[in-house]
Amino acid sequence: MSRTQRLKLKSDGAPAAPVFQPLIDKTLPPIEQAYQYVLQSIMSGELTPGMRMPAEAVAEALGVSRMPVRDALRRLEGDGAITIFANRGASVAQFSREEIIELIEMRAVLEGHAARAAMPKIGRDDLEELDQLKLRMERTANDLSKWMLRHDEFHNYLTALSRRALLMRQTERMRIMLRPYYRQYYAKTGELEIAGLEHRKIIDALRKGDADHVEQIVRSHALKNVKKIADLAA
């Protein structure tokens, strides 16, 4: 990609050269390309809360018109990933300390409920898949972007086992909204977890079939370090 095609991100009026290049499938429709481009940039830490996301820069980087980019930005606004301001364009969604705490608490309740709802439906193959997802997460501990992706895959899979589509969509949406703050926290502290211990506890609780314990442990996991993460709010 040429220099003129690179995405120019602005937070204080000055351009910033990207350090992360999203991997985009060019066979996808332009709207999906733009959606993935922006979402990957947010999840990688290339875009941070409050940073502007000019539609024209995305269009230039992808070699598409502005219309599908604008449609993608509206979709991302629906996901809670960005905020569109009238006559000011789009920026990465930014939340207050209190809003971050509220989002994390809501996600903890929903994911705990999803784990409880999944209990009667979980079979041996599902537990083995969770084991594999945990191993994939551990193998990427030295790459924060990949680790966070694998971490979300683990929790999204567990939530999906509840067979409740609305519940899964809501938890995924909150993960997207919170991702920049979790990334900042992990990058700052290096505190991922103790070699998969927390996720091992979740799998072990699922194997024992105690719904109350499963719900409690998933909630506790989601609420870990909630105040420290919220302190990263601007």
Side-chain angles (χ1 to χ4, degrees):
M1 181 175 291
S2 69
R3 183 177 182 180
T4 58
Q5 288 177 309
R6 292 178 184 171
L7 177 61
K8 298 176 180 64
L9 309 175
K10 297 181 179 180
S11 56
D12 57 358
V19 295
F20 169 79
Q21 182 57 55
L23 299 175
I24 305 300
D25 182 352
K26 298 299 288 184
T27 66
L28 294 172
I31 293 176
E32 187 64 27
Q33 289 184 43
Y35 178 88
Q36 291 298 328
Y37 190 101
V38 177
L39 187 59
Q40 287 183 40
S41 296
I42 293 172
M43 291 187 168
S44 72
E46 175 68 12
L47 286 169
T48 57
M51 187 174 286
R52 285 189 56 213
M53 170 48 61
E56 60 273 15
V58 179
E60 182 183 1
L62 292 172
V64 301
S65 69
R66 294 183 187 181
M67 186 59 70
V69 175
R70 289 169 181 158
D71 289 342
L73 292 176
R74 282 192 286 269
R75 178 179 163 193
L76 285 158
E77 183 179 39
D79 289 341
I82 69 167
T83 302
I84 298 176
F85 300 95
N87 303 317
R88 289 171 52 195
S91 299
V92 179
Q94 192 169 25
F95 302 102
S96 68
R97 185 178 188 278
E98 292 72 23
E99 287 171 332
I100 292 171
I101 291 174
E102 185 176 357
L103 281 168
I104 293 174
E105 290 175 344
M106 290 167 60
R107 182 170 63 85
V109 171
L110 291 179
E111 290 191 359
H113 176 64
R116 170 184 281 275
M119 283 292 297
K121 307 174 182 72
I122 292 178
R124 181 180 299 177
D125 290 345
D126 298 317
L127 292 170
E128 289 178 358
E129 180 62 21
L130 287 168
D131 275 325
Q132 289 303 311
L133 290 169
K134 183 183 78 69
L135 287 173
R136 291 172 204 161
M137 182 169 51
E138 292 171 359
R139 289 173 186 148
T140 59
N142 293 323
D143 186 322
L144 181 55
S145 293
K146 289 182 180 179
W147 183 87
M148 293 188 72
L149 178 63
R150 300 306 182 199
H151 179 269
D152 284 0
E153 285 177 350
F154 179 97
H155 286 281
N156 287 339
Y157 183 82
L158 176 56
T159 301
L161 292 174
S162 69
R163 308 292 193 271
R164 298 187 179 185
L166 290 175
L167 188 58
M168 184 174 181
R169 283 201 292 273
Q170 287 302 317
T171 56
E172 285 182 334
R173 183 174 185 270
M174 283 185 279
R175 283 189 176 280
I176 290 173
M177 295 167 74
L178 289 165
R179 172 65 75 91
Y181 297 96
Y182 273 97
R183 183 182 176 84
Q184 287 180 41
Y185 175 77
Y186 292 137
K188 180 180 179 180
T189 66
E191 296 177 1
L192 303 183
E193 65 172 1
I194 303 173
L197 178 60
E198 294 173 40
H199 295 84
R200 175 80 273 151
K201 287 181 178 178
I202 292 172
I203 295 172
D204 288 344
L206 290 168
R207 281 201 168 95
K208 291 178 181 177
D210 185 334
D212 289 337
H213 184 51
V214 166
E215 183 171 9
Q216 185 275 325
I217 202 168
V218 170
R219 282 196 187 193
S220 295
H221 174 64
L223 290 169
K224 182 183 178 185
N225 299 318
V226 57
K227 292 184 178 180
K228 292 181 181 179
I229 294 166
D231 285 342
L232 295 172

